[in-house]
């Protein structure tokens, strides 16, 4: 029975290396020190989330339905995944701009007052 590759050492949670590969057909074994790509280092939940992201072609609305989660929860999980893959810095500026737009949209819709909008913008 085959098991998924563990993301971390079960004892110390350190990074694992692959040291042997084996062909199930002819039993050839290859020994060495092989690295695991970032995708293999994601935990099970992150891997499943990524599969649904690909299945829904990144459509957050469809992900909400598939996962039965709210938009903010899906976005948070996506941000965690981005961070786990080491891409957090690439999107930090874009995320700040999106937060600013959301605050200004709330202000324009009359859902928050100007003072609150100014405070939220300062926090970004």
């Amino acid at each position: 029975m085959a098991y998924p590759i563990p993301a971390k050492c079960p004892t110390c949670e350190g990074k694992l290396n692959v040291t042997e590969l084996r062909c199930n057909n002819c039993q050839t074994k290859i020994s060495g020190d092989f690295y695991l790509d970032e995708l293999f280092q994601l935990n099970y939940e992150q891997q499943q989330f990524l599969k649904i992201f690909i299945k829904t072609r990144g459509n957050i609305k469809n992900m909400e339905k598939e996962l039965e989660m709210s938009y903010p929860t899906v976005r948070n999980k996506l941000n965690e995944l981005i961070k786990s893959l080491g891409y957090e810095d690439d999107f930090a500026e874009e995320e700040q701009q999106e937060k600013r737009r959301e605050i200004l949209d709330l202000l324009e819709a009359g859902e928050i007052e100007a003072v609150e909008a100014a405070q939220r913008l300062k926090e970004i």
Side-chain angles (χ1 to χ4, degrees), residues 2-8 16 18 21 36 40-44 47:
Y3 297 97
I5 297 172
K8 295 181 180 178
L16 295 172
V18 176
L21 301 170
L36 290 174
F40 290 105
Q41 295 177 28
L42 298 174
N43 65 38
Y44 179 80
Q47 290 175 15

Side-chain angles (χ1 to χ4, degrees), residues 56-113:
T56 61
R57 294 176 169 81
N59 183 305
I60 302 288
K61 290 285 184 194
N62 291 343
M63 291 183 72
E64 287 178 63
K65 292 175 189 169
E66 179 100 13
L67 296 167
E68 298 179 356
M69 293 179 180
S70 68
Y71 176 86
T73 303
V74 172
R75 285 289 299 185
N76 287 339
K77 289 194 172 292
L78 181 57
N79 287 337
E80 289 172 14
L81 182 61
I82 290 167
K83 185 177 179 180
S84 293
L85 291 171
Y87 301 125
E88 181 180 33
D89 292 338
D90 296 348
F91 294 100
E93 173 103 12
E94 184 179 317
E95 190 173 313
Q96 284 181 340
Q97 289 176 353
E98 184 176 328
K99 287 180 182 179
R100 287 186 188 106
R101 279 192 297 270
E102 288 173 6
I103 293 167
L104 294 174
D105 288 345
L106 290 172
L107 177 63
E108 185 177 347
E111 295 180 32
I112 60 173
E113 298 292 323

